[in-house]
Structures are given as C-alpha cells and as structure tokens.
Amino acid sequence: MTATLLDEKTAILITHLTKIVGPDGLISSPAELMVYECDGYTMEKNRPEVVVFPRCTEEIVGVVKACNELGVPFLPRGSGTSLAGGCLPVGGGVIISLARMRKILEVDIRNRYALVEPGVINTWLTNRVKNDGWHYAPDPSSQGACTIGGNVATNSGGPHTLKYGVTVNHILGVELVLPDGRVIQIGGPVEEAPGYDLTGLVVGSEGTFGVVSKVWVRLVRNPQSVRTLLGIFESVDDATRTISEIIGAGIVPAALEMLDNLILGAVEEAFGFGFPLDAGAVLIMEVDGLETGIDDEAARIESIALKNKARKVSRANTEAERMLLWKSRKQAFGAVGRLAPSYCTQDGVVPRTRLPEMLRIMHDISKRHDIRIANIFHAGDGNMHPILLFDERDPAQVQRVMEASHEILDTCLKLGGSVTGEHGIGVEKIDFMPKLFSPDDLMAMTRVRQAFNPTGLCSPGKMLPTAGACSEPAAARQLKPGRRAPH
Amino acid sequence: MSEPQKIDIQGHVVTVKHPATQEELGQMVHAAAQAGQAIYSVGGATRQYLGLPPVNPGIGLCTRKLDRVIDYPARDMTVTVELGMTVAKLREVLAGENQDLPIDCPDPSRATLGGLLATNGSGSRRHGYGTLRDYLLGLTVIDDHGRPTKSGGRVVKNVAGYDMGKLHIGALGTLGPLVQATFKLKPRPEATALSLVPLAPDQLEAFANQMNQGQTRPIVIDLLSAGAAREFARLAGQTLPREGWHGLVGFDGAEMAVRWQLQTLRDELRSLAAGEVLELVSHAGAWEALTALGGPRGTTGLRAGVLPGESVGLARSLETWAPASGVVAHLGAGIINAWGDPDTSREPLLGQVERLRHQAQPKRLQDQAQPKGGWLVVTRSGPTARDARMVFGSARQDHPLMAEIKRQLDPGCLFNPGRYLTDL
C-alpha cells in the first residue's frame, strides 16, 4: 500500500471517528500519538493511527463498528501502566482510551459491590469507601495511576493479593462491547447466575475479547487491625528461607514483600525511610485481622525471622510510619531511575519453596550477562520482579538484557512456575506460550478467542502465538528487535 | 468397590465405562466422537439430578479410577490431583499436613472433585473462604478429539493464557471431562465455633444488617428456616431450645480470636436473639451437619441468587412456598437453598417457580426490560418432568456467547448434550 493510500484510509477513519466522539475526542498527530506507542514495556513500540477517547458505552460501540466497517484493528487502553506490551498497537489502527470514562457509578455497601467505569483509577475506589470501613482489595503497586479496566484486562495482583486474592477474585461482572459492536452484560452484582463463568474468562484476557465498558467489583471490609513488620537480613537467602517458613507454618500474612540491597539503596535515597544500606535484603511482613490474637501472629512471624538470622525485626509503630513503608515499596519502581537510565522488569513466578534457589540462579545470570539486577517482589506468592538495569542507547546491553530476561523466565518454567504472575503475556512473552502450553492447549484457547473475536480485529498480535486472523503486518514486526526468544 | 456398569441419569439409563488412566479416557472420547456417540461424564453420581436429562444416546465415562495425587508440595500450599478422587480422600491427604480445600461438599466420601468442580459446589463457608473459582489454579480437560488440554499452572499466581478453568467450573461437564487440577490450599484453623441464634420472624432483617456491620468476622452467616434448623439439629445430634427461624454464625481461626468473637456476637445480638443461643465449639459433627444440609432433601429443591440485602425477603417466600420446607440462606453471598414437597395438583411447579423467580429479581430492577439480577434454578423436581425453562428460567443476555463457546469447543455436541442451558 502506498503512503498516499494509507493516508487516505486514515483520513476516512478520522472523519468517521470524529462523527462519533467529536473533534476533541480523538488525536491523530504524530507528536501526540507518541505517548501511545507503547505501555510500561518500552522495548517495542508501534504508533497507532488514531487514539479515541469515548465518554460512554455508546461511543465505544460507534468506534468499534467504524473500525469493523473499515477493517481497522483496535484495542482498549487504560493508563498504559501495563508492563508486557498489552496495549501496544501491534497492527497500528485505533487505540480506544478509556481515560474519560472514570465515573464511580454506584457504591452499594449493604450489597458489598461497586459499579465503576473502566477508566476509574484503582485507588479512587478505596478512597471513596474507606470512611465506611471498606476497600477494594486488589492493590497493584501502580494503583495511584492504573485503571480498574486495565486491572480487569491483566488480572492484576499487588502486595495484598497474598491473602485477598487477585483481581478476578473481586470482579462480579462486566459490561462488554464485543469486537463486533454488540453490548452484553456478563455476570453482575448477583453472584453465580446459571451459565458459564464468562466473567472469570474475560478477566485476564488482555483486551482480546472486546472493550470492557463497566465493571461490578466486590468491596471488602477493612480488617480490624494491622501489624506491619520490617525484617532486616544479612542475605537474600535468609530472607527467602523466612518466607518459606512463614507460609509453611500455616500463617497467611496479608503481605510478604522483599527488597534486596540494590533496590534498597535507590528507595532509601528517594524516600528516606531509614532502611539500613548494608542489609542484604529486607522483608515487609504484614498481618491483619482481629485485634485479638494479632500480636501473637506477629510474634510468631518475628520469631521465624529471627530464627532465620534476621539482624533485626521492627514494627511500624504509627499509621504514618506504615504508610511510608508501603510508599517506599509501591513507588520503588520510580526510584529505579537513580540506578540506571533504563530498566526492564520481569514478572516470573516460582513455587514459593523454590525462591532461594531461583534467586541464586538469578545472581548467576546477572554476573554472566554483566547486567545488574535489582529485586523487589511479592515474595509470599513466589512472584518475582527482577529489575534489569541498563542503558538503552547501548545496543549490546539491550541484547544482553533480552537474553538475561529470557534465561530468567526459562528458569522459572524449569522450576515449575510461570513467566507471568500479574503483568500478562502481552507481546513481550508470546514466544513463551509454546513453552508453557502444548499446541492442543493453545488451540483450545484460540477456539475460545474465536467465539469472542472471530475477525481478530480486536487487539491482534497479543497473548497467543497464533493470534487472530489479522496477523501482524511486516512493518510492525520490524519494530520489535530481539522480540524472539533465543532457543 | 465394584464399579456400576449402568447409571440412571434422570430416568435415562446409560452404560458406563471406567477408564483407568487419563490416556484411556482420551481414547474413549476419541472413539465415541468417531462413532457419533454422546459422552456423559460421571464422577460419584451424587448430583446427577442437576440440570436436564440427556438428549442423545451415548456412553457414561466415569472418572473414579483416576484418583492419584500427582504432586503435593505441602509447603507451597498447592496440590495437583486427578479429579476422580473423592473429596473425602483429598481431605484425608491434606489433613496429614494440617491443610484443607475449604469448599463444603455434602456426601464427600462419594462425591468426586471433578463433580464438585462441574457443579460448582459450595456451602456455608463460602462467606469466609469463597468458592472453587478462588482455589482452582490449573485444570486439564479432555477435548473433543480426546486430547488433554490444560490451562493455568501449578503456582499460586499466574496469568499466562486464558483462564479456561473458570469456564469449566459449574459447566456441568458440557465442555469436556475434567481429569486433573491444581488447587490452592488453606491451613486448617486451630479452633472453630458455630453459634445458633433463635430469631423472631420480625427480627430477620435486623439480624442480617447487624451481621453486615458487627465487630466479628464470621466465615458463615446463614439464616435457617424452622424446617432447616430442625434438620440441622437432628443431623448434629442437638436439641433445639426453640422452634422457628435461626441465625447460624460460624467462626474459625486462633482459639483466642474465636472465643472473643463468640462473646462479641453474644453481646451484639443480645437484643435480637429470641431465646437461648446454642454454641457449638470445635464440634466437627455440627460442621458436617451444616454441610450435609446442602444435600438433596424433600421432593423438590430450589437454589436462588439475589443481592445479599434482599435474601431475607426471598428466604421468607421460599419458606412458605411448600409444605415440609427448609430454607438455608447464605446471607453474605445472597445464595439460598430451599427444599420442600410442593403441592402441584393446584398449581403446576412451573407456575410456582416463575412466581418465585420474579421475586428473586432485585426490587429496583424488576421493572427493567432486561432483568439483571436474581435467578432461581430448580435443582430437583420430584415427579415433574424437567425442561430448560422450568429448571433455569429465561436465557440471559450473554447466553448467545456461551452457546458460541460451546460450538467452538464442542462442535459435535459430544459432551453432556442437552444437560445444561439450551444449546450448551
């Protein structure tokens, strides 16, 4: 296709879309579109032709129908905080940004649910209900920026999912604009209506089943009491053994988070919490529940940590101290810029008892590839977020980062784990899918995608290696250096 | 145990095969597919009364011989097992490590894990522990070519690929036989307690509201009608101090915390209780009795879902719906089970059910063209013939999508044809 023809097609597209969302409801100039070339995974980029900002379900329907008429691929996007390229417009086309659909439509404490638009920022909902003593449990570290619609797409986790479960455990239903423009309600505030659990299937489908336009979420009562402990360890090994032992003792903490020495330095510089800079690792250990008995549980955790050679275990004495500790944890990624110009975060999972082994192997991978790796992660779930530090201006480093990343993920698989605990497959990890699943497994998933998205126009090139009929054009493929995993 | 060669599924007698391995089961599916025979999945056959009768001739495939523990890394708190294993056997294996899969299942020594998944079994503890969708980490099913297909994995957190497992929970086996799964586990609590609180008929709403805002954190918040309370007491070997409606509140956890909650509940409900509160502390028999209440009783069984705040209203209607009735309402979730011996000579069961179904709609949604709320399913219907309308009610908005998924995964309509919603 020549450039002129392409431009003509884009011009028709823009005319169509402007009629639906108005001139202030879309952007199409290259400078404005740059923001939408990628999400938090910046190794691969591709520019959409247009980004639209619908304000209601009907406008989403209009956009989706226009894309169908013109045969243009489209995909939904929240805040773009995802980390696996889930909202990378692989085939170009239209990004449907849900940023203007950010109303909390209903809060029903008596019936334990809220109805929100997909662009509502995760933390807004908890802020809205906290004075009533309730909260929305999934708390990804990016919760101050990420949207609930995005959380639904990736089945997001967060530190407190160890006890409270991930996003899917808190979603009661969705309104979905199907890839052909039909609108359906799946599930809803009443639980377990007869029929297949399509809600459970849509959560985590990474935008490949349509555009979620409303979400019914479960609200959870706040615990009566919380105790937050900080364990300081000489080595990562001691810290991971502590984690294993806490879980093995039948204690279900509300959160168990680990930060290693490298990330501690950056976090300390950014937030000044008072972390000891010579520690090998620290563990944030939190228990919650009834006031009665909670100190006993905290004491058990403390004694397990001390038995595993913790240098010191201290408690957050005030709510302000606790909030600062969590801020240091949740905003740690923001502090990584102090360590290197670029970083790439991985999302591997291993059975929690294999964590010590995995961290030793990771240390070795870091040395062999000469790439520094900082570790900060949901230790209680076995879900690691190694942060590979590099300078993207140096192609040799980029290459080594890709190789080290793949080696880390391969090791996770070898130890019986997964390549993604909460970030998703996106485009980044598509090549791992055949390592995780047999061709028959993938075929079953493809068949289900066919039911929702038969033309493949909705979010092509995601999740499954044999993704939809509208496969990636050559131009898009060229924009993905090093995407293929070394075999 | 000798395995039955025939099974009666809602009046249709089906020959049953008993594959010894997943591979053999796959071969049998393949052969049946080639021969154009339908496949009816059978586990412990404890809940074959659910859904509708078979429509096509076919064979029964029983999974009971598939009952191996594949992997039990206890310190990871996960277990991978074959799904012909009975719920009781899994409990026994897990008890050795002081762990549990906290999903209530009546008749656990016969019911299989596959059947529990296919019927999405749950009971009173769902308020505190959730349901199977919160525990299933990975699942292997046999597809329409007889091949094993898996989704999910064996770790507690994993978002690789579509979560196909969710699709099979409660699908009554219509998307293929379930053969292997990985479950997340919980530690067994140190102590438990059940508190049975007699309630005057005009205090039911007050009880429900209080339980939604009290200081305690129960794992069970049930409302039992007089008939259900009587049945519970009988099964638990207890004498009820008083007839009538009862609140049933359950706690577990550290002993100190359980004791504190019992005391706090007593204080909070002092003005509500209509008589002596019966407290059953660490009483295994009482929990078994509560679980057993979810089993079949009476000639006819109903199961309904409403907004939690509307469950008392529907529970009342269900209590007066039929003679010899019993109603157990899980107030936290808004899920209600009822049984009774309805008189169908004056009004056919369908009419009675449709009336109740209308009441199951949330009040403020009743006037909407597309009902978005409550539902009511006829679990058992005694002598009355079953059809989709009577058993499940009218189709919902997402039904065409479900039918399309069924067409994709089972184009030859091999798996349990006719037994679930129309076209599934």
Side-chain angles (χ1 to χ4, degrees):
Chain A
M1 199 180 280
T2 66
T4 324
L5 274 175
L6 247 181
D7 289 345
E8 259 175 44
K9 197 176 169 188
T10 305
I12 295 169
L13 177 66
I14 291 169
T15 312
H16 263 66
L17 296 176
T18 306
K19 278 185 203 153
I20 298 157
V21 293
D24 63 341
L26 89 183
I27 55 173
S28 59
S29 77
E32 289 173 310
L33 292 175
M34 266 180 75
V35 179
Y36 297 88
E37 284 179 343
C38 64
D39 54 15
Y41 173 68
T42 56
M43 309 287 278
E44 299 169 37
K45 294 176 180 173
N46 194 36
R47 193 172 296 174
E49 266 78 50
V50 187
V51 180
V52 292
F53 302 90
R55 293 171 192 84
C56 58
T57 303
E58 292 68 31
E59 287 187 4
I60 299 176
V61 170
V63 171
V64 166
K65 285 189 171 163
C67 289
N68 274 288
E69 275 167 37
L70 297 168
V72 176
F74 57 93
L75 74 160
R77 176 181 164 118
S79 295
T81 56
S82 52
L83 292 157
C87 37
L88 173 77
V90 173
V94 176
I95 285 186
I96 301 174
S97 165
L98 284 318
R100 287 186 187 170
M101 291 181 65
R102 43 177 60 192
K103 286 196 285 290
I104 296 173
L105 298 169
E106 190 185 353
V107 170
D108 186 340
I109 297 285
R110 175 64 187 86
N111 291 308
R112 302 166 184 254
Y113 77 88
L115 173 62
V116 301
E117 287 187 333
V120 167
I121 303 293
N122 173 296
T123 198
W124 293 357
L125 185 53
T126 288
N127 285 342
R128 172 79 174 265
V129 297
K130 70 181 175 195
N131 288 339
D132 293 313
W134 293 69
H135 69 289
Y136 174 57
D139 63 337
S141 297
S142 56
Q143 69 183 140
C146 64
T147 64
I148 289 181
N151 297 166
V152 168
T154 49
N155 192 12
S156 306
H160 290 87
T161 57
L162 175 61
K163 181 169 178 178
Y164 291 96
V166 292
T167 298
V168 71
N169 307 114
H170 298 273
I171 302 300
L172 293 164
V174 297
E175 179 187 84
L176 183 70
V177 178
L178 288 167
D180 63 5
R182 277 178 295 160
V183 182
I184 55 162
Q185 183 184 326
I186 290 171
V190 175
E191 293 191 29
E192 277 178 30
Y196 300 149
D197 178 8
L198 299 184
T199 305
L201 187 67
V202 166
V203 176
S205 59
E206 301 192 22
T208 59
F209 287 168
V211 182
V212 167
S213 48
K214 285 190 185 97
V215 191
W216 282 268
V217 305
R218 196 191 294 280
L219 297 173
V220 176
R221 283 189 77 183
N222 291 346
Q224 203 177 55
S225 299
V226 182
R227 296 287 184 278
T228 309
L229 286 76
L230 180 69
I232 295 157
F233 295 84
E234 305 301 340
S235 73
V236 167
D237 246 23
D238 293 341
T240 47
R241 265 202 310 277
T242 302
I243 296 155
S244 243
E245 219 166 293
I246 291 170
I247 302 285
I251 301 170
V252 185
L256 257 185
E257 298 283 307
M258 200 194 91
L259 289 78
D260 74 1
N261 176 273
L262 194 50
I263 193 86
L264 269 183
V267 167
E268 186 55 27
E269 207 180 303
F271 303 108
F273 179 80
F275 291 116
L277 295 175
D278 61 339
V282 303
L283 279 183
I284 301 172
M285 304 172 284
E286 188 162 281
V287 285
D288 69 12
L290 297 166
E291 177 65 25
T292 308
I294 197 169
D295 284 317
D296 285 1
E297 198 161 53
R300 279 175 75 197
I301 286 183
E302 187 172 346
S303 84
I304 290 171
L306 291 172
K307 200 180 103 196
N308 284 288
K309 301 194 240 168
R311 183 196 296 174
K312 188 179 165 201
V313 180
S314 53
R315 291 191 187 192
N317 290 316
T318 61
E319 185 58 15
E321 208 173 304
R322 179 176 170 257
M323 294 317 284
L324 181 60
L325 188 56
W326 276 115
K327 185 178 173 193
S328 305
R329 162 61 187 94
K330 290 193 174 178
Q331 297 184 11
F333 283 84
V336 172
R338 293 164 195 269
L339 297 174
S342 322
Y343 68 91
C344 166
T345 309
Q346 279 308 337
D347 182 35
V349 190
V350 292
R352 22 200 174 199
T353 49
R354 311 296 294 267
L355 271 175
E357 189 181 350
M358 182 66 213
L359 283 161
R360 278 194 294 273
I361 296 172
M362 204 132 68
H363 183 69
D364 173 56
I365 291 171
S366 161
K367 272 188 158 170
R368 257 189 301 112
H369 292 276
D370 189 22
I371 292 291
R372 287 190 304 157
I373 301 178
N375 272 298
I376 176 163
F377 60 91
H378 312 308
D381 291 320
N383 184 192
M384 296 169 307
H385 293 318
I387 304 169
L388 293 85
L389 305 165
F390 66 107
D391 183 343
E392 70 179 342
R393 290 165 297 190
D394 176 0
Q397 278 195 52
V398 174
Q399 186 57 32
R400 293 208 304 279
V401 164
M402 296 304 270
E403 284 168 12
S405 291
H406 288 306
E407 212 176 305
I408 289 168
L409 297 179
D410 278 334
T411 310
C412 289
L413 293 183
K414 214 181 296 165
L415 296 181
S418 171
V419 297
T420 174
E422 55 186 13
H423 296 172
I425 293 293
V427 293
E428 184 199 9
K429 295 183 186 113
I430 280 189
D431 293 316
F432 284 91
M433 288 295 278
K435 296 182 181 184
L436 269 165
F437 298 107
S438 73
D440 294 338
D441 303 338
L442 293 172
M443 180 47 71
M445 292 183 195
T446 306
R447 287 161 116 184
V448 167
R449 164 137 65 187
Q450 283 288 115
F452 283 86
N453 186 10
T455 63
L457 272 185
C458 181
S459 225
K462 303 284 164 58
M463 177 89 91
L464 300 176
T466 50
C470 175
S471 64
E472 315 146 39
R477 193 174 284 275
Q478 283 165 12
L479 288 166
K480 298 176 195 166
R483 153 134 169 236
R484 303 285 140 189
H487 293 289
Chain B
M1 183 167 55
S2 72
E3 302 292 351
Q5 300 308 306
K6 302 248 182 227
I7 182 174
D8 182 333
I9 304 176
Q10 299 189 14
H12 292 246
V13 176
V14 174
T15 302
V16 182
K17 295 189 175 182
H18 299 272
T21 63
Q22 295 181 30
E23 293 70 31
E24 201 184 331
L25 192 146
Q27 287 157 11
M28 288 175 179
V29 168
H30 184 74
Q34 297 289 309
Q37 276 181 315
I39 292 154
Y40 297 101
S41 297
V42 180
T46 60
R47 302 183 82 194
Q48 290 285 353
Y49 55 78
L50 293 175
L52 299 163
V55 289
N56 298 339
I59 56 163
L61 281 189
C62 177
T63 54
R64 262 183 295 188
K65 286 187 178 168
L66 310 178
D67 70 345
R68 290 176 304 154
V69 174
I70 303 294
D71 189 18
Y72 180 22
R75 286 174 73 91
D76 289 329
M77 301 200 67
T78 62
V79 69
T80 302
V81 289
E82 289 186 314
L83 292 173
M85 177 181 285
T86 63
V87 174
K89 183 173 169 192
L90 179 68
R91 294 258 146 85
E92 198 185 305
V93 170
L94 302 180
E97 297 287 346
N98 209 24
Q99 294 177 352
D100 194 17
L101 174 66
I103 302 294
D104 298 316
C105 174
D107 208 354
S109 56
R110 285 175 61 216
T112 62
L113 291 164
L116 188 66
L117 278 168
T119 58
N120 193 15
S122 72
S124 297
R125 285 187 299 168
R126 61 179 292 149
H127 180 64
Y129 284 104
T131 57
L132 279 163
R133 84 200 283 278
D134 303 311
Y135 292 87
L136 183 67
L137 299 173
L139 181 68
T140 306
V141 305
I142 302 301
D143 77 2
D144 58 327
H145 297 276
R147 305 170 302 204
T149 62
K150 67 172 189 309
S151 57
R154 292 190 186 179
V155 278
V156 294
K157 213 165 158 194
N158 180 15
V159 294
Y162 297 130
D163 194 352
M164 307 281 281
K166 297 283 189 301
L167 208 46
H168 293 271
I169 298 174
L172 293 184
T174 52
L175 298 172
L178 318 182
V179 292
Q180 185 175 309
T182 301
F183 297 101
K184 189 168 148 175
L185 304 172
K186 291 278 187 192
R188 284 160 79 100
E190 188 182 300
T192 66
L194 279 170
S195 192
L196 192 60
V197 186
L199 296 167
D202 60 353
Q203 293 290 357
L204 307 187
E205 287 287 0
F207 167 76
N209 289 332
Q210 173 58 37
M211 292 316 300
N212 207 42
Q213 59 194 26
Q215 287 299 303
T216 63
R217 293 293 191 275
I219 56 160
V220 172
I221 308 176
D222 283 355
L223 183 65
L224 272 55
S225 70
R230 216 164 28 238
E231 185 66 356
F232 168 73
R234 185 184 69 78
L235 291 166
Q238 301 289 318
T239 312
L240 273 188
R242 186 181 176 280
E243 275 285 307
W245 286 93
H246 282 73
L248 185 64
V249 185
F251 304 106
D252 73 4
E255 202 175 328
M256 200 164 51
V258 168
R259 225 177 308 128
W260 179 85
Q261 292 191 91
L262 273 179
Q263 177 61 50
T264 306
L265 183 77
R266 229 177 290 145
D267 295 344
E268 288 179 346
L269 296 184
R270 185 150 291 145
S271 60
L272 283 177
E276 190 192 331
V277 174
L278 182 64
E279 286 174 357
L280 303 161
V281 179
S282 289
H283 190 303
W287 287 96
E288 276 168 32
L290 185 56
T291 305
L293 276 188
R297 36 202 93 245
T299 61
T300 303
L302 305 177
R303 183 172 170 82
V306 289
L307 287 175
E310 293 177 356
S311 36
V312 168
L314 187 63
R316 281 180 195 281
S317 303
L318 286 166
E319 198 220 6
T320 53
W321 147 70
S325 72
V327 180
V328 179
H330 306 310
L331 296 180
I335 302 287
I336 306 172
N337 287 312
W339 65 84
D341 302 333
D343 179 1
T344 50
S345 61
R346 292 179 143 217
E347 184 185 14
L349 186 58
L350 178 64
Q352 300 182 27
V353 164
E354 301 246 289
R355 211 161 7 85
L356 290 164
R357 216 164 248 155
H358 182 69
Q359 288 176 33
Q361 292 310 318
K363 301 292 168 279
R364 62 207 146 97
L365 298 179
Q366 271 176 4
D367 53 353
Q368 295 196 1
Q370 174 69 41
K372 291 180 179 171
W375 50 269
L376 186 140
V377 164
V378 180
T379 51
R380 292 163 56 255
S381 56
T384 308
R386 296 165 75 76
D387 61 41
R389 184 176 161 211
M390 190 259 275
V391 172
F392 295 110
S394 54
R396 287 170 180 265
Q397 224 179 24
D398 51 358
H399 184 267
L401 197 54
M402 293 179 197
E404 184 54 32
I405 288 171
K406 167 78 174 177
R407 266 193 296 280
Q408 286 287 339
L409 291 175
D410 182 20
C413 214
L414 284 177
F415 302 125
N416 280 3
R419 300 219 52 203
Y420 203 13
L421 301 172
T422 310
D423 297 328
L424 300 194

